[in-house]
Amino acid sequence: MTEAAFTPRVFSGIQPSGNLHLGNYLGALKRFAEAQNKGIQTLYCMVDLHAITVWQDPADLARATRELAAGFIASGLDPARSILFNQSQVAEHTQMAWVFNCVARMGWMQRMTQFKDKAGKNAQNASLGLFAYPALMAADILTYHATHVPVGEDQKQHLELTRDIAIKFNHDYGVEFFPIPEPVIEGAATRVMSLRDGSSKMSKSDPSDMSRINLTDDADTIAKKIRKAKTDPEPLPSEVAGLEGRPEARNLVNIYAALADMTVDQVMAEAGGKPFSEFKPMLADLAVDRIAPISTEMARLMQDLSEIDRILADGAARARAIAAPILRQTYEIMGMVGAREV
Ligand code: AMP
Ligand code: TRP
């Protein structure tokens, strides 16, 4: 299939499970805004149905969904130019997910490392939804015929599965109906690490709040977390190669590069050889400059929840207008009677 047969369209999603952090911003949100600003059609989804694959308190889920919407907008997404919506408002996602449950193979799903990580030792007690999660993710993407999916490094395997599902569907039904979407995993911060441990990913579920910069942190908190970030005692090396084997130093340099829109080489040219007592204040100033306005804007947006709900309802209506005909055509291809009238 030629990629050119499909109009470029970007889709991505984030789970509304609280604690949006710097990793989400640099790995995802900032990239979402860049795609939007290139003038490509962009859809960004708060994946509430993915969130409930593990227990969510109802009031917390509603709050986290609206806060995530505020985070999207505060990070530069414009509800007029991007379609912003929460997944549960567009039923086509779950309808398509069932189809893909029947395309995906047990063996494919069993290989997913995120399931193994999240299910932990007690996999028998994990929800069936947690196991089927990647088929719903494939549905999110393919129900829009999306061609490009900006995500952090941790989603690479799920995107490969999405591609496998699209390829198998097209092959089994002898069609060229679904595009084979491209992951967009680029830049210096596709995997932002914990500020307390350079070998583990910055994550919303880390019990230590000092491990991450939350998009809701104020300027003082951001600066404090960077000041206290774990490092080794040596100054920064003078060249990129010297970062090898120094994961905490590497992480702070990567964060600097991503926040400043610089390459790692450029950061090293500027800061190479400096002790952390000099580099950390530089990074703290930059992080405060870039992140504190987002937290202020999120707080402002959260003052008017009805406006957020209006934006999500409007986005959902626009999303449905794209998704409904693609689901109907999928049903037709599969031989579902009455699909034309769906
Ligand atoms: P999640 O919060 O797990 O739904 O992730 C939302 C998006 O943020 C996905 O595109 C992830 O790949 C990305 N992401 C999450 N954590 C990180 C991280 N530590 N570094 C870079 N990207 C991340
Ligand atoms: N699985 C993604 C995560 O945990 C979230 C997600 C759901 C997603 N559907 C998607 C990402 C579709 C990209 C495209 O981060």
Side-chain angles (χ1 to χ4, degrees):
M1 172 175 335
T2 54
E3 302 282 339
F6 292 92
T7 318
R9 186 179 278 158
V10 171
F11 184 99
S12 196
I14 299 188
Q15 299 189 55
S17 38
N19 284 340
L20 261 186
H21 55 73
L22 183 67
N24 296 135
Y25 177 67
L26 295 176
L29 290 165
K30 186 166 182 285
R31 322 292 315 291
F32 295 0
E34 287 161 8
Q36 165 193 275
N37 297 338
K38 281 186 195 148
I40 307 168
Q41 186 176 36
T42 44
L43 295 106
Y44 298 119
C45 187
M46 285 120 255
V47 291
D48 45 12
L49 297 168
H50 275 112
I52 61 161
T53 55
V54 298
W55 169 252
Q56 302 295 332
D57 172 81
D60 291 348
L61 180 64
R63 184 184 162 80
T65 303
R66 293 178 175 126
E67 191 174 87
L68 180 55
F72 276 36
I73 298 165
S75 301
L77 296 179
D78 171 359
R81 286 191 290 158
S82 288
I83 299 181
L84 306 181
F85 67 108
N86 58 310
Q87 194 182 25
S88 59
Q89 288 204 57
V90 182
E92 282 76 5
H93 291 237
T94 32
Q95 293 175 288
M96 191 69 97
W98 179 259
V99 172
F100 291 161
N101 280 342
C102 300
V103 174
R105 307 287 93 184
M106 291 293 285
W108 300 359
M109 308 305 260
Q110 273 158 355
R111 281 196 288 276
M112 295 295 115
T113 55
Q114 184 171 299
F115 174 76
K116 290 185 216 168
D117 291 347
K118 283 204 181 178
K121 289 194 185 72
N122 201 358
Q124 291 300 313
N125 199 37
S127 72
L128 183 55
L130 189 66
F131 187 67
Y133 177 116
L136 177 59
M137 178 161 161
D140 296 339
I141 297 165
L142 295 172
T143 306
Y144 298 94
H145 277 186
T147 55
H148 295 85
V149 185
V151 281
E153 176 72 37
D154 58 353
Q155 294 303 310
K156 196 170 175 194
Q157 197 185 32
H158 287 158
L159 282 178
E160 278 159 13
L161 188 93
T162 299
R163 291 166 63 90
D164 288 341
I165 287 177
I167 291 167
K168 182 163 163 59
F169 182 97
N170 288 346
H171 175 265
D172 289 354
Y173 290 98
V175 290
E176 292 197 353
F177 183 63
F178 288 115
I180 314 303
E182 293 289 337
V184 184
I185 305 173
E186 287 167 0
T190 57
R191 189 172 165 83
V192 176
M193 308 308 279
S194 156
L195 297 179
R196 306 301 308 160
D197 172 7
S199 66
S200 70
K201 195 179 67 166
M202 184 177 287
S203 151
K204 60 181 97 179
S205 57
D206 193 315
S208 163
D209 196 59
M210 292 301 285
S211 71
R212 64 181 161 261
I213 292 172
N214 300 304
L215 293 194
T216 48
D217 286 344
D218 61 20
D220 288 346
T221 311
I222 296 169
K224 182 178 87 188
K225 286 179 175 175
I226 291 182
R227 245 185 359 256
K228 299 214 161 166
K230 184 180 165 201
T231 49
D232 56 42
E234 301 298 316
L236 283 178
S238 51
E239 289 183 13
V240 181
L243 291 169
E244 192 70 34
R246 297 180 61 187
E248 284 85 13
R250 170 96 226 183
N251 189 38
L252 296 185
V253 169
N254 283 353
I255 292 173
Y256 192 100
L259 283 172
D261 289 313
M262 288 163 75
T263 63
V264 170
D265 285 310
Q266 286 169 329
V267 176
M268 293 308 284
E270 194 175 300
K274 288 192 196 298
F276 284 107
S277 58
E278 271 181 59
F279 182 60
K280 278 184 171 179
M282 285 167 62
L283 178 59
D285 284 350
L286 177 64
V288 166
D289 186 63
R290 299 298 150 92
I291 303 300
I294 297 179
S295 70
T296 309
E297 179 64 1
M298 279 175 76
R300 192 188 68 77
L301 292 163
M302 286 298 280
Q303 302 291 311
D304 188 355
L305 298 183
S306 60
E307 173 62 6
I308 292 183
D309 291 0
R310 193 197 60 71
I311 289 169
L312 295 180
D314 173 68
R318 285 151 66 204
R320 227 176 280 126
I322 303 172
I326 294 178
L327 178 72
R328 184 174 48 70
Q329 290 169 61
T330 309
Y331 277 180
E332 267 187 279
I333 290 169
M334 300 177 75
M336 303 293 181
V337 172
R340 275 178 199 286
E341 288 82 44
V342 164

